[in-house]
Amino acid sequence: MEQEKQLQWFPGHMAKAKKAIESKLPVIDVVVEILDARAPIASHSEDLENLIKHKKRIVVLNKADLADSKVTKLWSDYFHHADINVLVAKSLSQKIKPELIKQIKLIYHEKLQQQLAKGIRNPQIRVLILGLPNVGKSTFINNLLQKKVTKTADRPGVTRGQQWLKLDQMIDLLDTPGILSPKLDSDETKLILVLLKALPAKHLFVEEIAQFALKFLITNYPDNLLNYYQIPFDTQDISNESLANYFAELAKKYHFKLTDNHYNVDRAMNLLIHDLQAGKLGLVSFEKPNQKIINF
Ligand SMILES: Nc1nc2c(ncn2[C@@H]2O[C@H](COP(=O)(O)OP(=O)(O)OP(=O)(O)O)[C@@H](O)[C@H]2O)c(=O)[nH]1
Ligand SMILES: [Mg+2]
């Protein structure tokens, strides 16, 4: 049973993509690992870590425009302190190329000097872009190249094959399909990945996702929740009963009726999930540094 569930979110194309990445690694100089700024731990894959741990790396905290900026700053400091190159990115709205090139050339400085000393006139730096599904790898690349060279969409599993792209005379980029770990370590990770749209919601029950989302908002962003839906709640009470009452109120407020006397609570749950995913409940981060140990 467990095996069956795992296979559902680790389909054949991901297994193939992982093999293809593995085969390219010997020629890769720098790995750019794209994480979701809202949850850098959940969007960091142990599975990919095992592939790339010996490579030079830049960590990108993408979708920073959807994250809580105070928390993103904590994350950025966290990576700096851990001596990991980090770049905060808003791939849909802000140019990334100058900062990325600066970081790549800094990392690669020594090897570049060696190559130049050897008389290699056109040294090449090969950069692999990798990360979970839907974190924005293709959007990041389109931003770098300032044109739509790779297909993007707001669902996981859009990029299927690899392609090399030229960033400048020296740097080549390789876009890759998003890969999830065949074994996701905890229920909370799965729930966060669904809210980030890295994992399709069909793998979990709607009620479970919605309750998690509501508890998260009540505990961490109560003002956002109150401002958006204008439904009062008690921050001290996140019992299942209280959460159920909240969804019933939400269904009433939006006139999600099943019959004259019954409201469609499922629709209210889906609404909350979609609004949170779409950023309508404000800029939120699901994880802060120091909550969990992170293995980079
Ligand atoms: N708000 C916001 N949305 C972003 C950002 N980067 C990407 N997106 C959106 O996230 C969705 C996924 O982006 P893609 O670039 O297709 O993601 P991917 O990592 O290539 O996904 P796969 O190819 O499926 O693995 C798209 O709807 C993008 O518009 C960002 O920085 N901010
Ligand atoms: Mg893609």
Side-chain angles (χ1 to χ4, degrees), residues 274-289:
H274 287 124
D275 286 346
L276 179 56
Q277 287 175 325
K280 290 188 185 166
L281 287 147
L283 306 182
V284 304
S285 292
F286 296 101
E287 294 169 333
K288 290 185 186 132

Side-chain angles (χ1 to χ4, degrees), residues 62-63 65 91-92 134-139 152-154 157-159 178:
N62 192 40
K63 304 199 183 184
D65 56 313
S91 292
L92 275 182
N134 207 44
V135 290
K137 299 173 293 299
S138 299
T139 308
T152 66
D154 198 14
V158 173
T159 303

